[in-house]
Amino acid sequence: MPEPLEADVVVIGLGPGGEHLAASLARAGLSVVGVDRRLVGGECPYFGCIPSKMMIRAADALAEARRVAVLAGGAEVTPDWTVVADRIRDEATDDWDDEVAVERLEKAGARFVRGHGRLAGPGRVVVTTDDGEVTVTARRGVVLNTGTEPAVPPIEGLADTPYWTNRDAVRLRELPSSLVVLGGGAIGCELAQAFSRFGVEVTVVEAGERILGPEEPEASGVVAAALDAEGIAVRAGVGVTAVSHDGAFGITLADGTTIGAQALLVAAGRRTNLGDIGLDTLGFDDGVRAIEVDERMRVAGVDGLWAIGDITGKGAFTHMSMYQANVALRDLTGEDGPWADYRAVSRATFTDPEVGSVGLTEDQARRSGIRVGVGTTALPESSRGWLHKAGNDGLIKVVVDLDRGVLVGATAVGPAGGEIIGMLVTAVHAEVPLTTLRGMHFAYPTFHRAIETALSAVS
């Protein structure tokens, strides 16, 4: 049996935030044990952000080549998925091997134990490894960063079929001729468009009334129109009642229609990994979906326990996990803040056009009791949008607290929506007065200059 271990801090879950925190604590002089049963680095580098954006980058290159006819003459485009598959395997994931990440963590001074970590009371973690159980005692505390995994809805017949999640999609060596994507959120829309641009016949099915439900309705509308223009069928406002597979998939919708496809990608959200990590030993109820934390990332009501990342319910984004890791790092090493602030949480959806968002939507602001002002402008009507021509779909929308005269939210949709939003994130976070924003210089001709038009339209 493995020998018991002691450390100042035990980090359970070594996704981006957990890996960063464990390494940083070790470099700060603390003894650290990092625990994970999967790949060090987590979902993002192996199955999420990085490989999917490689797919999207390649698909965008195909789309731009097809726009040459509108802008510059002619071009012949021949998609080859093996180029993408090779890049994901060789450049992004090392063939889904985390040896480099483990070495990086250990070089920082942390100790790594591969296995399933479970709380066994205050300051105690039991790790089930291939060689048996290891008990680790944490003198200062335990940090939870157990993340999420793909959610699979309880649809009749689905569990008995060879459906895919994002983890399967990024490992494909050959593409299907046809694909149904179950879920019209960010992941579903991104992958649907990428596969379509490589010649796959794609249908997106979304139970909600529109795709990209958390975004502004105007943003959802722009992306839906772009998908439709590329031949992607979007079935929104209808759920799936049954799934069958007999060489090909049959997806039965709530309206009685059936869609056939060679493959099925389930992109119906994520669920937190909290079910088997021993939370009951610290008084938590079974079935808890998120862990409440304070501004220092300390778990409410439990001494010596911190939580970061998706399980805190503050946004299932790599950048949120990294942000919270730095907050916890400051607390664990005795620094004096700054502490967590979620007024300006940003996100980007890498469809074409991209959707960048920050803060509150118009509806969220109104429901929170704010006296709301809104300014919107269409990106194609800007000078840069007009010059861009092909693929210039998009808009800028700002949401203003009229009583305080500051932005509380914004959305940028367009060829660089995820980049345009950067300035608006600063404005929301720093509560820059609307009068100051309206008095700024906006470089001409840029996409972000359309922000000036949206600000002038606030009413």
Side-chain angles (χ1 to χ4, degrees):
M1 293 290 291
E3 292 293 323
L5 301 175
E6 289 189 1
D8 293 320
V9 180
V10 177
V11 180
I12 303 178
L14 298 174
E19 180 190 1
H20 172 67
L21 178 58
S24 299
L25 288 170
R27 283 192 287 265
L30 279 69
S31 62
V32 180
V33 171
V35 179
D36 206 311
R37 63 189 174 92
R38 291 198 174 112
L39 299 174
V40 173
E43 191 85 358
C44 177
Y46 299 102
F47 304 105
C49 316
I50 302 304
S52 69
K53 302 314 170 282
M54 283 186 170
M55 294 162 61
I56 291 164
R57 168 67 178 128
D60 286 352
L62 292 175
E64 277 296 282
R66 290 166 179 147
R67 290 165 179 156
V68 169
V70 177
L71 298 167
E76 182 177 335
V77 182
T78 306
D80 183 355
W81 181 256
T82 61
V83 177
V84 183
D86 288 346
R87 188 179 182 210
I88 291 173
R89 181 193 62 202
D90 300 335
E91 297 179 30
T93 67
D94 288 337
D95 201 11
W96 291 271
D97 187 305
D98 66 350
E99 181 181 357
V100 171
V102 173
E103 289 178 354
R104 181 173 61 235
L105 180 67
E106 293 179 337
K107 186 176 181 180
R111 180 164 182 172
F112 173 56
V113 179
R114 193 183 301 280
H116 176 68
R118 195 176 191 279
L119 296 165
R124 285 172 56 83
V125 176
V126 175
V127 187
T128 303
T129 74
D130 290 342
D131 298 320
E133 290 188 346
V134 181
T135 299
V136 189
T137 301
R139 291 182 288 267
R140 188 167 299 188
V142 176
V143 181
L144 301 177
N145 178 51
T146 50
T148 59
E149 61 184 36
V152 180
I155 297 170
E156 179 184 342
L158 177 60
D160 298 323
T161 69
Y163 65 86
W164 298 336
T165 69
N166 65 292
R167 292 176 178 172
D168 304 293
V170 302
R171 303 187 76 148
L172 293 176
R173 300 295 303 175
E174 296 182 2
L175 297 183
S177 59
S178 57
L179 171 71
V180 169
V181 179
L182 180 55
I187 296 172
C189 288
E190 287 176 352
L191 296 183
Q193 190 175 47
F195 286 134
S196 174
R197 288 176 167 182
F198 272 88
V200 180
E201 181 183 342
V202 179
T203 300
V204 176
V205 179
E206 168 56 46
E209 64 179 18
R210 56 187 173 88
I211 62 171
L212 301 181
E215 304 297 341
E216 295 279 15
E218 298 93 329
S220 297
V222 170
V223 175
L227 298 183
D228 179 70
E230 295 186 21
I232 299 170
V234 176
R235 296 291 306 274
V238 59
V240 175
T241 59
V243 175
S244 62
H245 184 268
D246 183 12
F249 281 89
I251 296 92
T252 303
L253 305 184
D255 62 7
T257 60
T258 300
I259 303 172
Q262 184 182 351
L264 172 65
L265 171 62
V266 177
R270 313 278 301 179
R271 68 176 185 86
T272 50
N273 293 320
L274 294 173
D276 187 28
I277 61 171
L279 288 173
D280 57 304
T281 68
L282 298 179
F284 286 86
D285 293 332
D286 291 337
V288 62
R289 295 185 178 182
I291 297 179
E292 183 180 348
V293 293
D294 67 11
E295 63 179 2
R296 296 171 182 254
M297 310 318 302
R298 298 178 181 180
V299 176
V302 183
D303 292 335
L305 187 65
W306 288 256
I308 63 173
D310 298 2
I311 59 175
T312 66
K314 302 298 184 182
F317 312 120
T318 294
H319 54 275
M320 178 58 71
S321 180
M322 297 292 287
Y323 171 79
Q324 292 180 325
N326 284 323
V327 172
L329 174 65
R330 289 190 284 272
D331 192 39
L332 283 159
T333 55
E335 292 188 38
D336 186 21
W339 308 121
D341 181 345
Y342 304 108
R343 289 172 300 159
V345 177
S346 60
R347 60 184 179 271
T349 299
F350 294 91
T351 47
D352 178 12
E354 290 180 1
V355 181
S357 307
V358 61
L360 302 176
T361 63
E362 177 184 355
D363 181 62
Q364 289 171 332
R366 292 191 188 281
R367 286 190 284 109
S368 68
I370 294 173
R371 190 167 70 91
V372 172
V374 174
T376 305
T377 188
L379 206 62
E381 295 176 5
S382 69
S383 295
R384 179 62 183 275
W386 175 77
L387 289 165
H388 196 78
K389 195 172 184 178
N392 66 353
D393 303 314
L395 58 89
I396 306 290
K397 180 176 181 178
V398 294
V399 181
V400 177
D401 181 335
L402 293 174
D403 292 329
R404 294 190 298 137
V406 297
L407 268 63
V408 294
T411 296
V413 185
E419 308 302 328
I420 298 170
I421 202 65
M423 173 191 166
L424 294 166
V425 173
T426 301
V428 173
H429 181 80
E431 298 184 331
V432 179
L434 183 60
T435 53
T436 300
L437 295 172
R438 283 174 166 168
M440 290 175 53
H441 302 280
F442 293 82
Y444 179 90
T446 60
F447 285 121
H448 81 262
R449 185 174 170 84
I451 295 172
E452 182 179 36
T453 307
L455 292 171
S456 67
V458 171
S459 61

